Amino acid sequence: MLTLIVGLYTLYVAISIYTSIMQIGFINRAKRMEAVLLLPSEYLQAGNYSVAKEKLSLVHTFVDYIIFIAWMGFGLRMLNDNIMFVDSAMQNVAIVLGFVVINSILSLPFDYYEKFVIDTEYGFNKSTLALWVKDTAISFVMTILFGGLVAWGIYEIISSFTLWWLWSFVFIFAVIVAINMLYPAFRAMFFDKLTPLKDEELDAQIQELMDKTGFVSSGVFVSDASKRDARLNAYFGGFGKAKRVVLFDTLIEKLTHKELLAVLGHELGHFAHGDIYKNIALVGTMLFAMFALFGNIPDSFYLALGVPQSPAMIMILLMLFMPVLGFVMMPIMGIVSRHNEYEADKMGSELGGPAGGIELANALKKLVKENKSFPLSHPIYIFFHYTHPPVVERLKELGVDIADSDKSAMAGSCQAEI
């Protein structure tokens, strides 16, 4: 059983590395061809940025595999043998948190390199080292506090119920829903500062747009995300009366009102079609499968690892193998998600009126440019990783002639130089 599960993890890593290598080769070839959507210099830079990120991801995947082998070979035994408390609940929670802390520390070099080397080189990083350390420390403390509470909850369930895996699934699923509800409030409390949108005209237009779909929110807010990152973004967070519309200040700065409304129309399309509930259902299905699998693993598996079948070891193994199931589920989730994106684009263009499609297309092209998103990807990589269709395909669905779009970009370049 141990050989089978380790073999499945190895297969997952091999496929991940293969798709990354195929993506890197594809972009390296494509970036030397005629530019698509972007000016030649922007196209080359976006390609280099994508390759740099994918190379880091490739190294991270390989290092994660080595860490996984270390955990399975001796790490889990070391945790179990060296963390001792008289109270059983405290011991199990401490073992789980020990695992989480060690993994978090081992990931820090990759987080640092991505932000202060890659993102700095390509003009995204606006954060200081002090701010990054502060953000990391806050995230670490929150992980310990809330992670400890979740671990304690699962410990109590495993200790109290025969069908512990079913009730653990219900508990974790409820936690995920709660996180979605509370995320905007926690982000505003500890990270980004949210302020009510001061542009009364834009606020009224957004409210009118939300009224068309029946979306009721607690307000439209602006995040000072530019102090950390130059990317453009927006999100709807929460459920019920706790819903918020949050716009990054970078998005407001770079998009016109009509383009911004088209982007929000797209997001409201997700709301109108119930996509958030569909996504939660897919995540729930994945979690249910994971808990059902590990709820029925025989004692021999734990004996082969040299650890007891304790609540702590069950939780750690769930965390270790969650990426594998996520990778297996991703193609299915990706197909559903990409379909939902096309439908949301359609509704976003309709909500924008006669020129809604044009405004959404213009917004997508600006997002590609400002976020340095390479517009092309290898089909295998799209299959395994993409939750959104390639922007070229989205523009085609909106009726945009990509060739004409490229000519417009070149004309704009000449005009700017004049």
Side-chain angles (χ1 to χ4, degrees):
M1 187 67 178
L2 177 60
T3 303
L4 173 63
I5 289 184
V6 172
L8 287 173
Y9 193 97
T10 302
L11 179 62
Y12 145 71
V13 170
I15 295 173
S16 296
I17 290 174
Y18 173 76
T19 57
S20 287
I21 291 173
M22 294 297 287
Q23 175 75 343
I24 291 169
F26 177 88
I27 294 177
N28 276 332
R29 291 189 297 273
K31 71 184 186 183
R32 293 180 175 86
M33 298 179 183
E34 185 177 356
V36 178
L37 294 183
L38 300 166
L39 300 175
S41 59
E42 295 169 343
Y43 184 74
L44 180 61
Q45 187 182 46
N48 290 336
Y49 176 58
S50 294
V51 168
K53 288 198 302 179
E54 201 57 42
K55 285 181 177 178
L56 179 63
S57 175
L58 187 63
V59 174
H60 202 170
T61 299
F62 183 72
V63 171
D64 280 346
Y65 181 64
I66 294 173
I67 294 170
F68 167 80
I69 295 298
W71 280 122
M72 300 297 286
F74 61 87
L76 296 183
R77 289 197 302 274
M78 286 182 61
L79 274 181
N80 187 73
D81 295 342
N82 290 283
I83 298 180
M84 296 291 181
F85 286 90
V86 175
D87 182 75
S88 178
M90 183 67 74
Q91 179 173 346
N92 278 268
V93 170
I95 290 173
V96 172
L97 291 180
F99 169 82
V100 171
V101 168
I102 291 171
N103 271 1
S104 297
I105 291 172
L106 292 174
S107 292
L108 282 178
F110 294 97
D111 295 338
Y112 176 88
Y113 187 87
E114 181 175 9
K115 179 168 286 293
F116 289 98
V117 177
I118 296 178
D119 283 357
T120 298
E121 179 182 351
Y122 289 93
F124 287 119
N125 180 39
K126 303 300 179 183
S127 179
T128 63
L129 180 60
L131 183 58
W132 179 76
V133 170
K134 176 187 173 184
D135 289 346
T136 303
I138 292 173
S139 298
F140 181 80
V141 171
M142 290 176 66
T143 299
I144 295 296
L145 291 176
F146 293 104
L149 288 173
V150 171
W152 176 77
I154 295 181
Y155 166 82
E156 292 294 339
I157 292 172
I158 293 175
S159 302
S160 305
F161 298 97
T162 302
L163 284 176
W164 62 264
W165 62 269
L166 178 59
W167 295 110
S168 294
F169 155 72
V170 172
F171 174 68
I172 291 297
F173 189 69
V175 168
I176 290 173
V177 172
I179 288 172
N180 274 276
M181 292 178 64
L182 299 173
Y183 174 76
F186 272 105
R187 180 159 182 157
M189 190 182 303
F190 295 106
F191 299 103
D192 299 339
K193 180 182 177 182
L194 300 185
T195 56
L197 180 63
K198 296 179 180 178
D199 188 327
E200 294 182 0
E201 179 185 355
L202 178 59
D203 185 74
Q205 290 174 326
I206 293 173
Q207 293 295 337
E208 181 182 352
L209 197 65
M210 292 190 294
D211 290 341
K212 291 180 180 179
T213 57
F215 184 92
V216 179
S217 78
S218 58
V220 181
F221 296 85
V222 178
S223 165
D224 62 341
S226 59
K227 69 182 180 183
R228 289 181 173 84
D229 199 281
R231 293 176 180 86
L232 314 187
N233 205 355
Y235 64 90
F236 290 2
F239 290 95
K241 295 181 180 179
K243 292 194 294 290
R244 286 182 176 181
V245 179
V246 179
L247 311 174
F248 282 22
D249 52 0
T250 50
L251 190 75
I252 295 175
E253 178 186 346
K254 297 293 184 178
L255 299 189
T256 66
H257 282 193
K258 290 183 178 180
E259 290 167 351
L260 196 150
L261 289 170
V263 170
L264 291 181
H266 167 93
E267 297 301 329
L268 286 169
H270 285 305
F271 164 76
H273 297 143
D275 291 341
I276 185 170
Y277 301 108
K278 296 174 188 175
N279 292 337
I280 289 175
L282 285 171
V283 171
T285 301
M286 183 182 73
L287 285 173
F288 181 84
M290 196 70 181
F291 276 101
L293 174 64
F294 277 86
N296 294 281
I297 286 181
D299 294 345
S300 58
F301 175 74
Y302 295 91
L303 288 173
L305 282 175
V307 297
Q309 192 174 2
S310 65
M313 288 300 134
I314 292 171
M315 284 185 267
I316 289 173
L317 287 170
L318 279 165
M319 287 187 282
L320 273 174
F321 285 93
M322 190 63 74
V324 180
L325 189 58
F327 190 76
V328 171
M329 287 288 293
M330 187 60 218
I332 300 172
M333 297 177 72
I335 290 170
V336 174
S337 179
R338 291 192 292 272
H339 169 76
N340 293 342
E341 292 300 324
Y342 282 128
E343 293 301 310
D345 279 349
K346 182 179 178 181
M347 187 163 185
S349 63
E350 291 172 353
L351 287 172
I358 296 173
E359 297 298 344
L360 181 57
N362 290 338
L364 287 173
K365 287 185 279 188
K366 282 188 179 179
L367 288 170
V368 168
K369 176 182 177 180
E370 297 297 332
N371 292 343
K372 295 180 174 61
S373 301
F374 196 70
L376 305 174
S377 281
H378 194 287
I380 292 178
Y381 193 85
I382 293 171
F383 178 75
F384 278 106
H385 293 279
Y386 270 38
T387 57
H388 287 56
V391 69
V392 170
E393 299 302 321
R394 293 175 70 181
L395 290 172
K396 287 179 181 177
E397 286 293 317
L398 290 169
V400 176
D401 189 313
I402 303 302
D404 287 344
S405 178
D406 296 339
K407 291 175 183 177
S408 297
M410 292 299 293
S413 173
C414 296
Q415 185 176 4
E417 289 174 356
I418 292 172

